[in-house]
Amino acid sequence: SRARPPRPCVASALLASPPWWLTRALLASGRLVSPQRRLAAWDALQRRADQRARGSRRRVRVLLIRHGESEANLQAGQIVGGRDVATPLSATGEEQARLLGERLLRDGLRVDAVYASHAVRARKTADIACAAAAIRQRVRIEPRLVEFSQGSLERRWRAEVYAAGGPVLRGIAAHSLFYRPPGRSPDGDLGESQWDVERRMRSFIEAELLS
């Protein structure tokens, strides 16, 4: 007898490219759904939101500028970084911020608003650069722009944290961008996943830049 062709799995098809009404359930399911399917659900949800908002958003040009070299960056090759909001700019970092401002001035860039996180290194970079560029707008402090928190992994030796076969690499392999570092950072902040950071950044962009 002829073998029957395999029946399509409706559930698998929905999960591979989920409709908008299924996305929230998939995102909330956590351990029950693979990271790839949760990511597909998240992307579908954002596409729907973008489609609904299309035409009502203003057009903006956004310059994303990293802070200058900080004191913590001097140990970045050995120690896990993170939020560490109190670490100041190094002398090199202050010079980088000044050169940035001079570049913006030469380019004749007109700036409508300047935002920086509450981290000392970010605020100082913005202050120095704006002064050098003759930008008169007040720097607006926005906590949603801060570096992501790596929880209790911060300031630990990289070789220890990312040891082959260790819990961190296993967690990243299992959960992808949904992996959330354990515990609290030295600043007292819970660890964040890349997905957590994307959500707060998106909320800032939509509320402050596109509305």
Side-chain angles (χ1 to χ4, degrees), residues 152-182:
S152 61
L153 306 183
E154 291 185 15
R155 301 186 190 176
R156 288 172 54 188
W157 295 107
R158 296 181 66 85
E160 170 196 342
V161 170
Y162 297 114
V168 173
L169 290 186
R170 291 201 308 271
I172 293 173
H175 302 288
S176 186
L177 82 166
F178 299 100
Y179 171 73
R180 186 176 288 121

mmCIF file of all heavy atoms in Angstrom, residues 152-182:
data_model
loop_
_atom_site.group_PDB
_atom_site.id
_atom_site.type_symbol
_atom_site.label_atom_id
_atom_site.label_comp_id
_atom_site.label_asym_id
_atom_site.label_seq_id
_atom_site.Cartn_x
_atom_site.Cartn_y
_atom_site.Cartn_z
ATOM 1 N N SER A 152 24.874 39.440 39.346
ATOM 2 C CA SER A 152 25.996 39.059 40.204
ATOM 3 C C SER A 152 27.254 38.697 39.416
ATOM 4 O O SER A 152 28.293 38.427 40.021
ATOM 5 C CB SER A 152 25.593 37.881 41.092
ATOM 6 O OG SER A 152 25.256 36.756 40.300
ATOM 7 N N LEU A 153 27.172 38.698 38.066
ATOM 8 C CA LEU A 153 28.354 38.395 37.256
ATOM 9 C C LEU A 153 29.305 39.583 37.159
ATOM 10 O O LEU A 153 30.478 39.413 36.830
ATOM 11 C CB LEU A 153 27.943 37.972 35.839
ATOM 12 C CG LEU A 153 26.948 36.818 35.717
ATOM 13 C CD1 LEU A 153 26.714 36.490 34.250
ATOM 14 C CD2 LEU A 153 27.440 35.590 36.471
ATOM 15 N N GLU A 154 28.798 40.773 37.437
ATOM 16 C CA GLU A 154 29.610 41.976 37.263
ATOM 17 C C GLU A 154 30.815 41.983 38.208
ATOM 18 O O GLU A 154 30.726 41.559 39.362
ATOM 19 C CB GLU A 154 28.764 43.231 37.483
ATOM 20 C CG GLU A 154 27.728 43.444 36.389
ATOM 21 C CD GLU A 154 26.973 44.752 36.538
ATOM 22 O OE1 GLU A 154 27.428 45.634 37.301
ATOM 23 O OE2 GLU A 154 25.928 44.900 35.883
ATOM 24 N N ARG A 155 31.944 42.458 37.655
ATOM 25 C CA ARG A 155 33.213 42.592 38.377
ATOM 26 C C ARG A 155 33.856 41.258 38.748
ATOM 27 O O ARG A 155 34.786 41.222 39.547
ATOM 28 C CB ARG A 155 33.043 43.474 39.621
ATOM 29 C CG ARG A 155 32.547 44.885 39.323
ATOM 30 C CD ARG A 155 32.541 45.729 40.564
ATOM 31 N NE ARG A 155 31.862 47.002 40.346
ATOM 32 C CZ ARG A 155 31.643 47.902 41.301
ATOM 33 N NH1 ARG A 155 32.047 47.661 42.533
ATOM 34 N NH2 ARG A 155 31.010 49.020 41.020
ATOM 35 N N ARG A 156 33.334 40.174 38.185
ATOM 36 C CA ARG A 156 33.989 38.882 38.394
ATOM 37 C C ARG A 156 34.932 38.607 37.221
ATOM 38 O O ARG A 156 34.815 39.208 36.157
ATOM 39 C CB ARG A 156 32.943 37.769 38.511
ATOM 40 C CG ARG A 156 32.170 37.817 39.825
ATOM 41 C CD ARG A 156 31.013 36.844 39.832
ATOM 42 N NE ARG A 156 31.428 35.474 39.503
ATOM 43 C CZ ARG A 156 30.565 34.472 39.301
ATOM 44 N NH1 ARG A 156 29.260 34.699 39.397
ATOM 45 N NH2 ARG A 156 31.003 33.262 39.006
ATOM 46 N N TRP A 157 35.854 37.693 37.406
ATOM 47 C CA TRP A 157 36.822 37.383 36.368
ATOM 48 C C TRP A 157 36.124 36.739 35.180
ATOM 49 O O TRP A 157 35.352 35.790 35.327
ATOM 50 C CB TRP A 157 37.908 36.464 36.909
ATOM 51 C CG TRP A 157 38.759 37.099 37.966
ATOM 52 C CD1 TRP A 157 38.737 36.841 39.296
ATOM 53 C CD2 TRP A 157 39.731 38.139 37.774
ATOM 54 N NE1 TRP A 157 39.640 37.635 39.965
ATOM 55 C CE2 TRP A 157 40.266 38.445 39.046
ATOM 56 C CE3 TRP A 157 40.205 38.826 36.656
ATOM 57 C CZ2 TRP A 157 41.242 39.418 39.241
ATOM 58 C CZ3 TRP A 157 41.191 39.797 36.843
ATOM 59 C CH2 TRP A 157 41.695 40.080 38.113
ATOM 60 N N ARG A 158 36.402 37.242 33.980
ATOM 61 C CA ARG A 158 35.771 36.730 32.773
ATOM 62 C C ARG A 158 36.073 35.249 32.556
ATOM 63 O O ARG A 158 35.209 34.475 32.150
ATOM 64 C CB ARG A 158 36.226 37.537 31.546
ATOM 65 C CG ARG A 158 35.813 38.982 31.558
ATOM 66 C CD ARG A 158 36.273 39.696 30.296
ATOM 67 N NE ARG A 158 35.590 39.184 29.118
ATOM 68 C CZ ARG A 158 34.411 39.605 28.704
ATOM 69 N NH1 ARG A 158 33.772 40.561 29.367
ATOM 70 N NH2 ARG A 158 33.865 39.096 27.613
ATOM 71 N N ALA A 159 37.310 34.854 32.814
ATOM 72 C CA ALA A 159 37.691 33.459 32.614
ATOM 73 C C ALA A 159 36.857 32.534 33.495
ATOM 74 O O ALA A 159 36.536 31.405 33.106
ATOM 75 C CB ALA A 159 39.182 33.276 32.907
ATOM 76 N N GLU A 160 36.488 33.016 34.679
ATOM 77 C CA GLU A 160 35.666 32.217 35.594
ATOM 78 C C GLU A 160 34.217 32.186 35.130
ATOM 79 O O GLU A 160 33.586 31.123 35.066
ATOM 80 C CB GLU A 160 35.748 32.815 37.004
ATOM 81 C CG GLU A 160 34.762 32.226 37.994
ATOM 82 C CD GLU A 160 34.608 33.095 39.232
ATOM 83 O OE1 GLU A 160 35.484 33.954 39.476
ATOM 84 O OE2 GLU A 160 33.598 32.926 39.931
ATOM 85 N N VAL A 161 33.675 33.354 34.777
ATOM 86 C CA VAL A 161 32.266 33.455 34.401
ATOM 87 C C VAL A 161 31.971 32.686 33.121
ATOM 88 O O VAL A 161 30.969 31.960 33.018
ATOM 89 C CB VAL A 161 31.860 34.935 34.246
ATOM 90 C CG1 VAL A 161 30.468 35.053 33.613
ATOM 91 C CG2 VAL A 161 31.886 35.631 35.605
ATOM 92 N N TYR A 162 32.866 32.827 32.128
ATOM 93 C CA TYR A 162 32.611 32.222 30.822
ATOM 94 C C TYR A 162 33.420 30.937 30.602
ATOM 95 O O TYR A 162 33.804 30.615 29.478
ATOM 96 C CB TYR A 162 32.922 33.238 29.721
ATOM 97 C CG TYR A 162 32.029 34.449 29.790
ATOM 98 C CD1 TYR A 162 32.563 35.711 30.089
ATOM 99 C CD2 TYR A 162 30.660 34.349 29.587
ATOM 100 C CE1 TYR A 162 31.750 36.827 30.176
ATOM 101 C CE2 TYR A 162 29.838 35.461 29.661
ATOM 102 C CZ TYR A 162 30.385 36.696 29.953
ATOM 103 O OH TYR A 162 29.573 37.798 30.038
ATOM 104 N N ALA A 163 33.644 30.221 31.671
ATOM 105 C CA ALA A 163 34.355 28.944 31.565
ATOM 106 C C ALA A 163 33.557 27.972 30.706
ATOM 107 O O ALA A 163 32.323 27.892 30.800
ATOM 108 C CB ALA A 163 34.568 28.362 32.959
ATOM 109 N N ALA A 164 34.246 27.231 29.855
ATOM 110 C CA ALA A 164 33.591 26.259 28.977
ATOM 111 C C ALA A 164 32.788 25.254 29.800
ATOM 112 O O ALA A 164 33.282 24.700 30.782
ATOM 113 C CB ALA A 164 34.635 25.534 28.131
ATOM 114 N N GLY A 165 31.530 25.057 29.424
ATOM 115 C CA GLY A 165 30.670 24.121 30.131
ATOM 116 C C GLY A 165 30.085 24.661 31.416
ATOM 117 O O GLY A 165 29.361 23.939 32.112
ATOM 118 N N GLY A 166 30.390 25.919 31.759
ATOM 119 C CA GLY A 166 29.880 26.505 32.986
ATOM 120 C C GLY A 166 28.420 26.915 32.868
ATOM 121 O O GLY A 166 27.830 26.902 31.784
ATOM 122 N N PRO A 167 27.802 27.331 33.983
ATOM 123 C CA PRO A 167 26.366 27.646 33.984
ATOM 124 C C PRO A 167 25.995 28.834 33.101
ATOM 125 O O PRO A 167 24.893 28.867 32.546
ATOM 126 C CB PRO A 167 26.068 27.934 35.461
ATOM 127 C CG PRO A 167 27.386 28.288 36.061
ATOM 128 C CD PRO A 167 28.397 27.465 35.325
ATOM 129 N N VAL A 168 26.899 29.806 32.959
ATOM 130 C CA VAL A 168 26.564 30.978 32.150
ATOM 131 C C VAL A 168 26.476 30.612 30.675
ATOM 132 O O VAL A 168 25.493 30.936 29.991
ATOM 133 C CB VAL A 168 27.586 32.104 32.375
ATOM 134 C CG1 VAL A 168 27.330 33.261 31.407
ATOM 135 C CG2 VAL A 168 27.509 32.603 33.810
ATOM 136 N N LEU A 169 27.473 29.942 30.148
ATOM 137 C CA LEU A 169 27.440 29.552 28.742
ATOM 138 C C LEU A 169 26.316 28.561 28.463
ATOM 139 O O LEU A 169 25.700 28.597 27.387
ATOM 140 C CB LEU A 169 28.785 28.976 28.316
ATOM 141 C CG LEU A 169 29.945 29.969 28.223
ATOM 142 C CD1 LEU A 169 31.185 29.292 27.648
ATOM 143 C CD2 LEU A 169 29.571 31.180 27.379
ATOM 144 N N ARG A 170 26.025 27.691 29.429
ATOM 145 C CA ARG A 170 24.892 26.776 29.245
ATOM 146 C C ARG A 170 23.583 27.548 29.207
ATOM 147 O O ARG A 170 22.692 27.254 28.401
ATOM 148 C CB ARG A 170 24.852 25.734 30.376
ATOM 149 C CG ARG A 170 25.988 24.721 30.341
ATOM 150 C CD ARG A 170 25.616 23.460 31.132
ATOM 151 N NE ARG A 170 25.141 23.759 32.481
ATOM 152 C CZ ARG A 170 25.916 23.858 33.555
ATOM 153 N NH1 ARG A 170 27.227 23.675 33.431
ATOM 154 N NH2 ARG A 170 25.407 24.128 34.740
ATOM 155 N N GLY A 171 23.466 28.562 30.065
ATOM 156 C CA GLY A 171 22.246 29.368 30.077
ATOM 157 C C GLY A 171 22.065 30.140 28.783
ATOM 158 O O GLY A 171 20.953 30.223 28.238
ATOM 159 N N ILE A 172 23.151 30.714 28.263
ATOM 160 C CA ILE A 172 23.082 31.451 27.004
ATOM 161 C C ILE A 172 22.706 30.518 25.862
ATOM 162 O O ILE A 172 21.881 30.863 25.001
ATOM 163 C CB ILE A 172 24.426 32.148 26.723
ATOM 164 C CG1 ILE A 172 24.671 33.246 27.765
ATOM 165 C CG2 ILE A 172 24.442 32.732 25.317
ATOM 166 C CD1 ILE A 172 26.051 33.872 27.681
ATOM 167 N N ALA A 173 23.301 29.316 25.845
ATOM 168 C CA ALA A 173 22.989 28.355 24.787
ATOM 169 C C ALA A 173 21.527 27.917 24.834
ATOM 170 O O ALA A 173 20.894 27.710 23.798
ATOM 171 C CB ALA A 173 23.908 27.143 24.905
ATOM 172 N N ALA A 174 20.987 27.790 26.034
ATOM 173 C CA ALA A 174 19.609 27.301 26.180
ATOM 174 C C ALA A 174 18.573 28.386 25.930
ATOM 175 O O ALA A 174 17.492 28.117 25.398
ATOM 176 C CB ALA A 174 19.422 26.723 27.583
ATOM 177 N N HIS A 175 18.879 29.638 26.315
ATOM 178 C CA HIS A 175 17.857 30.683 26.296
ATOM 179 C C HIS A 175 18.147 31.835 25.340
ATOM 180 O O HIS A 175 17.315 32.738 25.204
ATOM 181 C CB HIS A 175 17.665 31.238 27.710
ATOM 182 C CG HIS A 175 17.287 30.192 28.712
ATOM 183 N ND1 HIS A 175 16.038 29.602 28.740
ATOM 184 C CD2 HIS A 175 17.996 29.608 29.723
ATOM 185 C CE1 HIS A 175 15.993 28.718 29.720
ATOM 186 N NE2 HIS A 175 17.161 28.701 30.331
ATOM 187 N N SER A 176 19.311 31.834 24.717
ATOM 188 C CA SER A 176 19.653 32.864 23.734
ATOM 189 C C SER A 176 19.485 34.254 24.351
ATOM 190 O O SER A 176 19.931 34.490 25.468
ATOM 191 C CB SER A 176 18.792 32.684 22.481
ATOM 192 O OG SER A 176 19.161 33.557 21.454
ATOM 193 N N LEU A 177 18.842 35.184 23.629
ATOM 194 C CA LEU A 177 18.753 36.552 24.125
ATOM 195 C C LEU A 177 17.816 36.689 25.319
ATOM 196 O O LEU A 177 17.720 37.769 25.922
ATOM 197 C CB LEU A 177 18.313 37.505 23.019
ATOM 198 C CG LEU A 177 16.821 37.625 22.691
ATOM 199 C CD1 LEU A 177 16.595 38.858 21.817
ATOM 200 C CD2 LEU A 177 16.291 36.409 22.005
ATOM 201 N N PHE A 178 17.144 35.608 25.717
ATOM 202 C CA PHE A 178 16.272 35.647 26.895
ATOM 203 C C PHE A 178 17.016 35.247 28.167
ATOM 204 O O PHE A 178 16.429 35.243 29.251
ATOM 205 C CB PHE A 178 15.060 34.733 26.680
ATOM 206 C CG PHE A 178 14.209 35.133 25.509
ATOM 207 C CD1 PHE A 178 14.325 34.472 24.302
ATOM 208 C CD2 PHE A 178 13.321 36.186 25.609
ATOM 209 C CE1 PHE A 178 13.555 34.836 23.210
ATOM 210 C CE2 PHE A 178 12.544 36.568 24.524
ATOM 211 C CZ PHE A 178 12.662 35.898 23.318
ATOM 212 N N TYR A 179 18.288 34.881 28.039
ATOM 213 C CA TYR A 179 19.060 34.506 29.229
ATOM 214 C C TYR A 179 19.240 35.721 30.125
ATOM 215 O O TYR A 179 19.674 36.783 29.696
ATOM 216 C CB TYR A 179 20.432 33.961 28.843
ATOM 217 C CG TYR A 179 21.337 33.756 30.044
ATOM 218 C CD1 TYR A 179 21.111 32.716 30.932
ATOM 219 C CD2 TYR A 179 22.391 34.638 30.302
ATOM 220 C CE1 TYR A 179 21.915 32.537 32.046
ATOM 221 C CE2 TYR A 179 23.205 34.456 31.415
ATOM 222 C CZ TYR A 179 22.963 33.402 32.282
ATOM 223 O OH TYR A 179 23.766 33.247 33.388
ATOM 224 N N ARG A 180 18.911 35.548 31.399
ATOM 225 C CA ARG A 180 19.018 36.637 32.373
ATOM 226 C C ARG A 180 20.051 36.269 33.432
ATOM 227 O O ARG A 180 19.880 35.280 34.151
ATOM 228 C CB ARG A 180 17.660 36.894 33.011
ATOM 229 C CG ARG A 180 17.596 38.096 33.925
ATOM 230 C CD ARG A 180 16.183 38.329 34.446
ATOM 231 N NE ARG A 180 15.316 38.845 33.399
ATOM 232 C CZ ARG A 180 14.189 38.234 32.982
ATOM 233 N NH1 ARG A 180 13.817 37.090 33.538
ATOM 234 N NH2 ARG A 180 13.456 38.773 32.039
ATOM 235 N N PRO A 181 21.146 37.022 33.533
ATOM 236 C CA PRO A 181 22.167 36.710 34.544
ATOM 237 C C PRO A 181 21.558 36.683 35.948
ATOM 238 O O PRO A 181 20.648 37.458 36.252
ATOM 239 C CB PRO A 181 23.170 37.854 34.399
ATOM 240 C CG PRO A 181 22.989 38.343 33.001
ATOM 241 C CD PRO A 181 21.527 38.191 32.724
ATOM 242 N N PRO A 182 22.056 35.826 36.810
ATOM 243 C CA PRO A 182 21.463 35.679 38.142
ATOM 244 C C PRO A 182 21.861 36.799 39.093
ATOM 245 O O PRO A 182 22.848 37.511 38.883
ATOM 246 C CB PRO A 182 22.046 34.345 38.619
ATOM 247 C CG PRO A 182 23.393 34.288 37.951
ATOM 248 C CD PRO A 182 23.185 34.897 36.591
#
